[in-house]
Amino acid sequence: MKTGTFLAVAASFAAQTIDAVSLPSTTPVAQRRDDSKPKVIGMDIERSSPKNPLHRDKLRRRGSVEVNLDNEETLYFINGTVGTPPRSLRLHLDTGSSDLWVNTPSSSLCSDSSAPCKYAGTYSANSSSTYQYIGSWFNISYVDGSGASGDYVSDTATFGDATLDRLQFGIGYSSNNAQGILGIGYPINEVQVGRAGMRPYNNLPAQMVAEGLIQSNAYSLWLNDLDANTGNILFGGVDTEKFVPPLYSLPVESEAGVYAEFMITLTKLTLGSNQIGGDLALAVLLDTGSSLTYLPDAMVQDIFNLVNAQYDSDSNAAYVPCSLANNETILLSFTFTSPTIEVEMNELVLDLVTSSGKRPVFSDGTEACLFGIAPAGEGTNVLGDTFLRSAYVVYDLENNEISMAATNFNSTRTRVEEIGKGEGGVPGATRVRDPVRATEGLHGPNSLGGISRGTRGVVGGGVAWVLVGVVGVLVMV
């Protein structure tokens, strides 16, 4: 995943418990396949349109309970509280890591006169009557060098109407990220395991199961399109109105027999009528913490050639005329044995505003935008937000499966069904027969020694680049 510095957004919401019905609404409704009526928690949160995803990635990558998401500069957030009395937090949702951690107001970062942590919130252990100390081995870092260290603690936490009596998380007494992270990956990928050599603890989705709030350690993600104000995540549920059937289930790839990350196998990639990279068996990571999608360099170069993208090695990013977003005929199609997820150009061409408040232009005056595909180099191949917005994804940690379908953009209807326990628990999902297993792109378990693999992206750059390429000179000021 990646993190960044963002403007504060005041979020207000109303949470409520609703009986099962089917009607046009933005509020979720839940139903089981029997006569019982589970609860569902609904939250509506505003989010702004993305302005500078390059800046965001430059800084960092890396019953049914529903929490809507807030998108600020293509980051996705969940609002929650921790402690007694409760302290409000704005947490970056990250499927590419597994620890929840928060900043403390007394750290050198957060106590700066500019108050960089104020918009996302902080937590003071000594101010909470329900705080319990666990140990001082919390120490998370990411591939770009950012991270936090301090204590592991437990405390009361609330997300929507779901209150957990005792949730373990980290406190960043030393941190260079102004915003806390909500990692919801496999518990075995926690830094408590990778660095301290200890057993996993129950992170948020696992603790929801332990406290009986949901049946299965599984959740579904709907980011909606690039211009949408909200998306949602359903812990323990699937919203059948938010995807276009069929919904296919694929195995998560293990690494030396260990399930640690949401890696699945990409078998084919096409841009329009052009197949990219031939027949594939490539492991790719599904990561909400990445603004862009990162693929093998040779494949990315072929894509750049086909769309006339100008690549800048200093920023590890490519630029295209903004008008490319209006091309409705060319699709970038990702196949995973089954299904195929089609990504339109308007999801791959990202608006970019520099620190001066202006859009960059090519030498002929054409406005330039950031292209949503970048080379992975020697790092992990990642399907980030530029892919995930076009897919409805169910992360089933209990059965080590990913269920996926084409997203139903801007759906105003909702019909939530509970994910049951055991195999076949995802409603309406069909297991893919004879799925191709990955032969490339896998790493050994704990290969990063406790460094979260969900941290990579656009590094370097500056306030002014001059690029010479197919279209001309691009100047960013």
Side-chain angles (χ1 to χ4, degrees), residues 28 39-42 63-67 159-163 208 213-214 219-220 233-237 416:
K39 295 179 180 179
V40 63
I41 308 301
S64 298
V65 177
E66 186 209 279
V67 183
F159 294 92
D161 256 2
T163 297
M208 284 183 170
L213 296 173
I214 58 178
Y219 51 86
S220 58
I233 183 170
L234 282 169
F235 291 100
V416 175

Side-chain angles (χ1 to χ4, degrees), residues 330-351:
I330 300 179
L331 302 174
L332 186 60
S333 300
F334 298 76
T335 299
F336 308 88
T337 307
S338 292
T340 294
I341 303 297
E342 296 180 337
V343 181
E344 298 179 2
M345 277 295 150
N346 58 19
E347 290 296 321
L348 293 171
V349 178
L350 308 179
D351 197 11

Side-chain angles (χ1 to χ4, degrees), residues 165-194:
D165 292 331
R166 190 57 55 194
L167 180 65
Q168 181 170 335
F169 57 92
I171 302 177
Y173 288 109
S174 175
S175 166
N176 56 8
N177 290 317
Q179 178 172 8
I181 308 297
L182 176 56
I184 52 175
Y186 281 100
I188 199 172
N189 202 30
E190 296 159 354
V191 294
Q192 173 167 303
V193 181

Side-chain angles (χ1 to χ4, degrees), residues 134-308:
I134 294 176
S136 298
W137 52 81
F138 173 67
N139 185 3
I140 193 167
S141 58
Y142 303 89
V143 173
D144 66 352
S146 62
S149 63
D151 293 344
Y152 269 120
V153 305
S154 67
D155 209 333
T156 298
T158 298
F159 294 92
D161 256 2
T163 297
L164 298 95
D165 292 331
R166 190 57 55 194
L167 180 65
Q168 181 170 335
F169 57 92
I171 302 177
Y173 288 109
S174 175
S175 166
N176 56 8
N177 290 317
Q179 178 172 8
I181 308 297
L182 176 56
I184 52 175
Y186 281 100
I188 199 172
N189 202 30
E190 296 159 354
V191 294
Q192 173 167 303
V193 181
R195 279 204 156 137
M198 304 175 69
R199 302 181 78 173
Y201 66 88
N202 284 341
N203 62 3
L204 179 64
Q207 189 63 24
M208 284 183 170
V209 175
E211 297 193 19
L213 296 173
I214 58 178
Q215 284 200 66
S216 182
N217 192 346
Y219 51 86
S220 58
L221 189 67
W222 182 65
L223 297 185
N224 209 353
D225 67 19
L226 190 60
D227 297 322
N229 289 328
T230 58
N232 65 55
I233 183 170
L234 282 169
F235 291 100
V238 172
D239 191 338
T240 60
E241 294 287 348
K242 295 297 187 286
F243 63 85
V244 180
L247 180 68
Y248 285 112
S249 295
L250 296 157
V252 173
E253 292 289 350
S254 65
E255 302 175 82
V258 176
Y259 294 98
E261 299 175 298
F262 298 121
M263 307 279 283
I264 59 174
T265 303
L266 180 67
T267 57
K268 187 178 180 181
L269 182 68
T270 59
L271 180 62
S273 60
N274 300 282
Q275 185 169 346
I276 308 296
D279 293 332
L280 304 172
L282 181 68
V284 290
L285 175 68
L286 302 176
D287 181 17
T288 60
S290 295
S291 290
L292 309 186
T293 289
Y294 298 87
L295 295 169
D297 296 9
M299 294 171 60
V300 171
Q301 184 60 61
D302 289 344
I303 294 172
F304 288 171
N305 291 340
L306 289 168
V307 299
N308 288 334

Side-chain angles (χ1 to χ4, degrees), residues 305-367:
N305 291 340
L306 289 168
V307 299
N308 288 334
Q310 290 191 105
Y311 175 68
D312 174 37
S313 59
D314 288 336
S315 62
N316 193 34
Y319 306 88
V320 294
C322 296
S323 59
L324 183 63
N326 300 323
N327 190 319
E328 299 179 356
T329 61
I330 300 179
L331 302 174
L332 186 60
S333 300
F334 298 76
T335 299
F336 308 88
T337 307
S338 292
T340 294
I341 303 297
E342 296 180 337
V343 181
E344 298 179 2
M345 277 295 150
N346 58 19
E347 290 296 321
L348 293 171
V349 178
L350 308 179
D351 197 11
L352 184 63
V353 178
T354 66
S355 57
S356 67
K358 299 179 181 179
R359 289 181 175 84
V361 295
F362 293 104
S363 59
D364 62 358
T366 300
E367 289 190 335

Side-chain angles (χ1 to χ4, degrees), residues 438-449:
T439 58
E440 297 180 86
L442 291 173
H443 306 268
N446 300 319
S447 60
L448 295 180

